[in-house]
Amino acid sequence: MDAVVNTLFFIDEKYNIRKQMVFAVCFPLFTILALGIDSVYFNDHYFDGRQITNLLVVIYYSFFFWFSDSYLRKLMFVMVFLSYIGELIFCPLLGMYNYRTEAIPLYVPFGHAIVYASGYVFAHTEWAFKNDNQLRKYFAAGFAVLFLLVGIFLKDVFTLILGTLFFWVLKRKKWQNLYCFIAICVIFIELTGTFFQCWKWVPKIFGLIPVANPPMGAVFVYAGGDVLLSKIVDYWKRKQQVSNIEILK
């Protein structure tokens, strides 16, 4: 068992930066395909494609995982479980949004991991590193304008609240572009999913706070979740390093 864990999460033998980038770049097209098959339109005109989408997403996740480096693998693995817990809190418990069917689709937690991994890969490209300072300015201005426009014209108070929290996280994390790249992927999948009616946000959160469908401020959930995700993975990494040292002794 230890050998399997070490192979999957602590050895970069299968890491292939080019193939990893291919999966990140293909993320938008794959998202449209997968969510289109799970859409209300597809269900009404053909058949319920939920199981096909489940299979496609799990396969895509598996290949993305396989060709990633060991650290990103750990992030993707933990993200599946962390996002499922988040789904249970935000969907059935707090009732912020609803899926096409009553149950949370299997593909959702794996999809969250793909979204995160795609943003992570883009943020760690050579181009992103070279243009880090400029991107920080553009991202900050772009997201500020986006949140304000949505809040004012769509009366999305929820986005104004979460958008403020998103900038709070950015400031605490020293304006790392990682969160902005992930946020762009989040916005894309939210727009695609709600367009195909795979899920729908309620008109008012807790029956009080007006929200658009989807709210752009949802990016804060990923930013906030990443803080916890990174701590879990870093703890896992440190624990493994300590175990390796003890074995060598």
Side-chain angles (χ1 to χ4, degrees):
M1 184 63 182
D2 289 341
V4 174
V5 172
N6 285 329
T7 300
L8 290 177
F9 301 109
F10 295 96
I11 298 176
D12 290 330
E13 182 180 347
K14 300 298 181 181
Y15 173 49
N16 188 308
I17 190 171
R18 290 186 177 181
K19 292 182 179 179
Q20 177 182 266
M21 179 58 70
V22 168
F23 282 101
V25 170
C26 290
F27 158 74
L29 291 176
F30 177 74
T31 297
I32 294 172
L33 171 65
L35 295 181
I37 294 175
D38 187 46
S39 67
V40 169
Y41 180 89
F42 194 93
N43 179 71
D44 291 343
H45 290 79
Y46 303 102
F47 56 86
D48 187 349
R50 171 67 53 80
Q51 298 307 321
I52 296 177
T53 297
N54 286 338
L55 181 61
L56 288 175
V57 172
V58 171
I59 291 174
Y60 196 91
Y61 168 91
S62 299
F63 278 103
F64 202 156
F65 176 93
W66 186 250
F67 291 117
S68 296
D69 61 83
S70 58
Y71 187 74
L72 182 53
R73 285 185 181 184
K74 287 191 280 287
L75 290 170
M76 292 179 70
F77 179 77
V78 175
M79 186 62 172
V80 172
F81 299 96
L82 197 62
S83 65
Y84 183 67
I85 293 173
E87 286 294 323
L88 292 176
I89 294 173
F90 295 121
C91 187
L93 182 60
L94 298 180
M96 292 185 176
Y97 50 86
N98 299 292
Y99 286 98
R100 181 173 63 81
T101 57
E102 185 175 348
I104 297 173
L106 173 66
Y107 70 78
V108 170
F110 290 95
H112 284 312
I114 293 171
V115 171
Y116 182 91
S118 298
Y120 180 94
V121 171
F122 290 137
H124 287 80
T125 59
E126 184 178 349
W127 176 82
F129 282 123
K130 285 183 177 179
N131 298 278
D132 185 69
N133 290 329
Q134 295 94 323
L135 286 173
R136 291 186 185 191
K137 297 175 184 178
Y138 294 143
F139 279 143
F143 279 109
V145 171
L146 175 64
F147 295 151
L148 287 173
L149 289 177
V150 170
I152 295 171
F153 292 102
L154 298 182
K155 304 186 185 303
D156 186 353
V157 178
F158 191 58
T159 280
L160 292 177
I161 296 172
L162 294 190
T164 301
L165 292 175
F166 176 71
F167 275 99
W168 172 72
V169 171
L170 283 181
K171 184 178 180 180
R172 289 203 55 171
K173 290 299 180 178
K174 300 180 180 179
W175 305 94
Q176 293 180 41
N177 286 324
L178 168 66
Y179 299 95
C180 295
F181 276 107
I182 294 173
I184 291 174
C185 294
V186 172
I187 289 174
F188 181 82
I189 200 168
E190 281 290 341
L191 290 171
T192 306
T194 51
F195 174 79
F196 285 127
Q197 297 179 289
C198 299
W199 60 83
K200 182 179 181 181
W201 287 76
V202 298
K204 291 187 176 182
I205 301 295
F206 309 131
L208 298 171
I209 307 173
V211 58
N213 181 44
M216 297 295 97
V219 297
F220 164 71
V221 178
Y222 272 78
D226 174 76
V227 176
L228 178 58
L229 175 64
S230 297
K231 288 183 177 180
I232 293 173
V233 171
D234 288 342
Y235 172 77
W236 182 8
K237 185 177 180 180
R238 288 195 302 270
K239 187 176 180 181
Q240 182 63 29
Q241 289 173 341
V242 171
S243 297
N244 291 338
I245 292 173
E246 291 178 351
I247 292 174
L248 291 174
K249 288 181 179 180

